[in-house]
Amino acid sequence: MKISVIQMKVRETKEKSLLEAEKRIGEVAASGADFAVLPEMFSCPYETSGFPLYAEGADGETVGRLSEAAGKNGIYLVGGSIPERDAEGKIYNSSFVFDRKGKLLARHRKVHLFDIHVRGGQSFRESDTLSPGEGATVFSTEFGPMGLCICFDIRFPELFRDMAEGGALAVFCPAAFNWTTGPLHWELLFRARAVDHQLFTIGAAPAADRKASYISYGHSILVSPWGEVLFQAGEEEGIFTADIDLDQVRQVREQIPIGNVQSFSSVSPAREGTATME
């Protein structure tokens, strides 16, 4: 399975961000990738005050254009995340996944909101304008079940345990760590979750924009079930690609049977969490 992560800056407008994402998805598909992965809040400034301004429904323009891009290019697309407004007016940090025909496979609403205050470092409160989602998300593909979470979710092993028990062979995680936590925790967490739950972890981050109010750490990453970093970007824009062998999941689980996930042979095709799109 070939995975390409698109590490891009948020543009001045939603339209410019969408155009850049569509262009990059086309490039990734032309290279033969099976999955294209966008960053967290790829088309929206990472600001609590901006989330309500950029929010749109699951039937809105952004989801529609991502679906079209996946179908047009015949590629699985993990559409980063966007501020999603539901019928009651609540806003979520939501990720949408599409299959090669553009069909919506899953939606994950970020369960653990990013509310932190680091003395002398980063302060942020997503809960000022966002609501939390519920439950783990696992979706089916031709390669097997895959998991999905968003950024701060990666700090919670129990969520990954649920995805692993649901059969996930890899977990996609659009994320936007910052320059306080990123240098210390980014690689550590992706490697830890990969080793803890014996699966691949993929982190897709925005490129660093030194002019933004919130500066992403970048460093999009892919880690194997052995804890090996298969690629890690810097802070710049780019496309980062690797081929992975999902049989490694079986190998690791057989050789190091830690017992916190089902055996490879007994995994069901997919278990959709409560946050998955119906």
Side-chain angles (χ1 to χ4, degrees), residues 255-274:
Q255 296 174 54
I256 309 176
I258 57 178
N260 68 339
V261 294
Q262 295 175 339
S263 67
F264 190 88
S265 61
S266 66
V267 165
S268 58
R271 180 183 61 78
E272 296 185 342
T274 57

Side-chain angles (χ1 to χ4, degrees), residues 84 94-96 106-111 133-138 148 272-278:
E84 177 213 357
S94 299
S95 181
F96 296 84
R107 174 186 60 195
H108 178 76
R109 290 170 170 171
K110 189 175 188 177
V111 176
E134 296 181 0
T137 302
V138 175
L148 179 65
E272 296 185 342
T274 57
T276 300
M277 202 68 172
E278 295 181 351

Side-chain angles (χ1 to χ4, degrees), residues 1-8 19-39 69-70 72-78 100 172 204 231 237-243:
M1 188 171 80
K2 188 174 183 179
I3 297 172
S4 289
V5 172
I6 299 167
Q7 183 165 290
M8 56 177 277
L19 288 172
E20 178 67 17
E22 289 165 340
K23 173 187 172 184
R24 295 290 192 170
I25 292 165
E27 292 173 359
V28 163
S31 75
D34 297 297
F35 277 82
V37 192
L38 290 169
K72 175 182 176 182
N73 291 286
I75 193 169
Y76 287 97
L77 174 59
V78 179
R100 295 185 188 274
F172 294 92
F231 70 64
E237 289 192 302
I239 294 172
F240 304 91
T241 302
D243 289 290

Side-chain angles (χ1 to χ4, degrees), residues 31-113:
S31 75
D34 297 297
F35 277 82
V37 192
L38 290 169
E40 182 182 22
M41 294 295 179
F42 76 95
S43 62
C44 170
Y46 197 69
E47 302 171 355
T48 54
S49 60
F51 298 149
L53 301 177
Y54 279 75
E56 55 185 278
D59 58 351
E61 179 186 14
T62 299
V63 173
R65 286 175 65 169
L66 292 177
S67 171
E68 183 178 355
K72 175 182 176 182
N73 291 286
I75 193 169
Y76 287 97
L77 174 59
V78 179
S81 79
I82 64 169
E84 177 213 357
R85 190 189 307 274
D86 71 6
E88 297 177 353
K90 292 182 179 180
I91 302 172
Y92 301 88
N93 186 341
S94 299
S95 181
F96 296 84
V97 181
F98 308 88
D99 70 10
R100 295 185 188 274
K101 295 183 179 180
K103 177 185 176 182
L104 184 62
L105 289 180
R107 174 186 60 195
H108 178 76
R109 290 170 170 171
K110 189 175 188 177
V111 176
H112 304 96
L113 297 183

Side-chain angles (χ1 to χ4, degrees), residues 5 18 50 58 62 80-81 84 103 118 135 159 178 199 214-215 229 263:
V5 172
L18 284 169
T62 299
S81 79
E84 177 213 357
K103 177 185 176 182
V118 180
L159 186 66
N178 55 73
L199 42 68
Y214 181 95
I215 304 173
V229 177
S263 67

Side-chain angles (χ1 to χ4, degrees), residues 150-210:
I150 300 174
C151 201
F152 207 57
D153 284 338
I154 200 169
R155 292 184 180 273
F156 297 85
E158 62 272 18
L159 186 66
F160 274 71
R161 182 184 64 242
D162 287 347
M163 288 187 280
E165 290 180 346
L169 308 178
V171 174
F172 294 92
C173 183
F177 273 44
N178 55 73
W179 286 84
T180 298
T181 59
L184 293 174
H185 299 164
W186 175 262
E187 180 181 322
L188 173 68
L189 285 166
F190 278 90
R191 294 184 71 189
R193 296 295 85 81
V195 172
D196 286 348
H197 304 289
Q198 300 175 313
L199 42 68
F200 288 90
T201 56
I202 304 101
D209 183 352
R210 298 292 175 174

